[in-house]
Structures are given as C-alpha cells and as structure tokens.
C-alpha cells in the first residue's frame, strides 16, 4: 500500500542528503513512533540537579566525561570536530576539526584513546586524549551513530536496533545484539553511554533514553527526558543527543544538538 507520509519522508531524505539520517534532527523526517509499552519495563523521569551552559553551535553527537573534562564530538558537513570542554562553563578548551566532507558522530574513551566515528564515511578515528590528534584510522561497514566503552568492548550503534561490539584495539566487530522492548525491536538507537554494566542510549528524534542490557539487548528502563529546555531554547535547538555518566554513580549529564544548556540529572 502506498504510504504517503513515508514517501514524503523518503523524499525529504533523498532531497537533503547532507542533512539526512542521524544528522537531520528534524529536517522533514517524520517523528519516530513511540516506543512499545511493556508494564515490566521501568518508567523513569529526570530530576535536574544542576544546569550548565553548552555551546549552542555544537551539533552534539557524542559526549563523555574523563578526569573532570568533557570530550565531545560534533557533526554536520563542514563543521564537525572533536573537542574538550570545561563542564562548568561550557568553554571549548581544545578542538580538532574533521575534513569538510566528513560528518562526526559518536565518541568514547578507552584507557588510552579517544574514539570518534563518522556517519556515512565508514571511518573510525583513534585519537590521543591529550592532543586529540589522530593516532590511527580504521574502516568499518555501514553507518556510525553512537559509541561507548564498557571496559572490555566498544559498543556501537548505527541507527538500527542492532548494537555491534568491537575490539577496543583493532575495532574489529566481535558480535551484535538486537535491542528490544517487550519483544519488539527498538531502532534509531543513537548516542550511547556505558555505565554500571548497562548501555544507556537516547533514541533519535525522541526525548527518550533507554537502558539496555548488553547481554540480551532487552530494554529494562525508559527515561522520559522531555521538557528540559524552555520553549524559547527549544525553538532554535535540535534533538536531545548526548549522555555522559557523571562523577557520582547514577547521575548523568545530558544535552542535545545545538542545545544552549547541559543538565546534570538523576533518573528517578
Ligand atoms: Ca556518551
């Protein structure tokens, strides 16, 4: 059956290749369907503990905290970079731009490296955490959206419901798991954060964050993170995208693409 809305969304994607997929935010694509409901899944909301400034020009694609400094990856063709940021002020401390024809996506840190992936370029950069310089470049198949490190493996999303586990030295794929909620696939899995043996992920085009058991792919909790920005702030901002475990266990920093604010929160 001809689905007009779907066709319109596909046309929008075809007509705006530079803005499509993970990068669009809301450039003509339809809203994601709501997550399936399952009474067994914990429903959480967000308690804001503190609010900080965030660079409203940063199209945030990856966020992680290490030794009191944010490492952030930003997207869009022509303005992608990797940067270190002062959490208190939002000031950019250092940055390295990507080539104009590359779209930055997720970022994570292993013990001695920063990893940054790209959207459709199939390139993963292993960088020096001190200088942000590229140490080695790896190639992979498919799209790159989010990435985190669980202490043993890199975990990567590609916009589908599948997470791919990768070797943290060779970037080789080790296996996959499919993310499900109540037995149904959850796709558009975007920015990731490995914390407490679980994978937290925000779902593209929604204000929802899911907690995924990496052993089974099952979603054990859904966080409603809507309403963080005021109406004015939201008017010039794109979607929620950016989650980083904070110093205190169970607390997280959350921001989004072109968000002027970053929030320290607890899920309750
Ligand atoms: Ca993250």
């Amino acid at each position: 059956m001809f689905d007009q809305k779907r066709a319109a969304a596909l046309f929008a994607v075809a007509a705006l290749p530079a803005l499509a997929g993970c990068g669009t935010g809301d450039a003509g694509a339809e809203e994601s369907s709501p997550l399936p409901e399952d009474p067994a899944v914990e429903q959480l909301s967000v308690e804001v503990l503190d609010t900080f400034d965030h660079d409203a020009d940063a199209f945030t694609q990856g966020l992680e905290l290490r030794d009191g400094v944010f490492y952030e990856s930003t997207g869009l063709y022509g303005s992608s970079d990797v940067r270190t940021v002062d959490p208190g002020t939002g000031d950019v401390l250092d940055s390295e731009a990507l080539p104009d024809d590359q779209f930055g996506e997720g970022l994570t840190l292993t013990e001695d490296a920063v990893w940054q992936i790209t959207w459709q370029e199939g390139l993963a950069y292993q960088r020096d955490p001190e200088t942000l310089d590229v140490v080695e470049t790896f190639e992979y198949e498919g799209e790159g959206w989010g990435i985190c490190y669980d202490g043993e493996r890199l975990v990567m999303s590609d916009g589908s419901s599948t997470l791919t586990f990768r070797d943290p030295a060779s970037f080789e794929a080790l296996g996959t798991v499919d993310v499900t909620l109540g037995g149904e696939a959850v796709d558009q899995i975007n920015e990731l954060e490995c914390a407490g043996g679980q994978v937290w992920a925000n779902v593209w085009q929604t204000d929802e964050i899911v907690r995924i058991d990496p052993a089974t792919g099952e979603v054990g909790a859904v966080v409603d993170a809507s309403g963080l920005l005021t109406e004015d702030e939201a008017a010039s901002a794109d979607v929620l995208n950016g989650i980083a475990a904070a110093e205190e266990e169970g607390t997280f920093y959350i921001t989004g693409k072109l968000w002027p604010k970053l929030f320290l929160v607890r899920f309750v």
Side-chain angles (χ1 to χ4, degrees):
M1 191 189 293
F2 181 69
D3 180 337
Q4 198 169 11
K5 198 176 168 198
R6 177 78 185 145
L10 286 172
F11 173 77
V13 166
L16 293 167
L19 291 170
C22 189
T24 47
D26 49 5
E30 60 190 309
E31 284 292 302
S32 287
S33 49
L35 293 174
E37 284 183 22
D38 182 342
V41 171
E42 215 178 334
Q43 302 291 327
L44 301 172
S45 60
V46 165
E47 177 193 357
V48 176
L49 306 173
D50 212 340
T51 304
F52 302 94
D53 288 335
H54 177 250
D55 178 1
D57 293 326
F59 200 79
T60 304
Q61 298 285 18
L63 185 70
E64 202 163 308
L65 186 73
R66 167 73 63 89
D67 297 333
V69 174
F70 282 131
Y71 286 77
E72 185 170 352
S73 169
T74 70
L76 297 179
Y77 290 111
S79 56
S80 291
D81 70 11
V82 56
R83 52 178 67 188
T84 47
V85 177
D86 181 330
T89 62
D91 291 344
V92 177
L93 304 171
D94 192 11
S95 70
E96 284 292 326
L98 263 69
D100 284 354
D101 59 353
Q102 296 183 19
F103 196 120
E105 285 282 345
L107 167 150
T108 194
L109 287 117
T110 53
E111 285 79 6
D112 54 6
V114 177
W115 284 90
Q116 182 184 30
I117 55 175
T118 53
W119 177 32
Q120 295 185 320
E121 288 67 59
L123 298 173
Y125 293 110
Q126 189 183 33
R127 296 174 179 271
D128 181 324
E130 297 291 326
T131 63
L132 302 180
D133 289 342
V134 173
V135 176
E136 204 166 345
T137 305
F138 297 82
E139 293 185 13
Y140 57 87
E141 297 287 321
E143 296 195 358
W145 284 39
I147 192 166
C148 68
Y149 176 59
D150 70 3
E152 290 180 8
R153 305 167 299 178
L154 296 166
V155 184
M156 181 170 151
S157 65
D158 62 6
S160 72
S161 59
T162 302
L163 297 179
T164 301
F165 302 106
R166 294 183 179 275
D167 183 282
S170 67
F171 209 70
E172 194 182 324
L174 304 172
T176 62
V177 70
D178 289 321
V179 180
T180 59
L181 198 166
E184 288 183 53
V186 179
D187 64 4
Q188 317 261 43
I189 300 291
N190 204 356
E191 221 275 288
L192 304 180
E193 187 71 12
C194 292
Q198 301 287 295
V199 177
W200 297 83
N202 56 253
V203 181
W204 185 50
Q205 287 192 321
T206 76
D207 290 317
E208 287 174 313
I209 294 167
V210 292
R211 189 189 69 211
I212 304 160
D213 180 343
T216 62
E218 286 171 12
V219 171
V222 175
V223 182
D224 176 0
S226 60
L228 287 170
L229 296 179
T230 65
E231 218 168 284
D232 275 359
E233 289 166 345
S236 52
D238 204 295
V239 293
L240 185 152
N241 200 38
I243 173 170
E247 290 89 345
E248 189 188 330
E249 196 180 333
T251 63
F252 295 87
Y253 291 100
I254 292 176
T255 190
K257 301 174 182 180
L258 312 179
W259 280 31
K261 292 282 187 330
L262 179 145
F263 302 89
L264 176 63
V265 304
R266 190 193 312 278
F267 303 141
V268 291

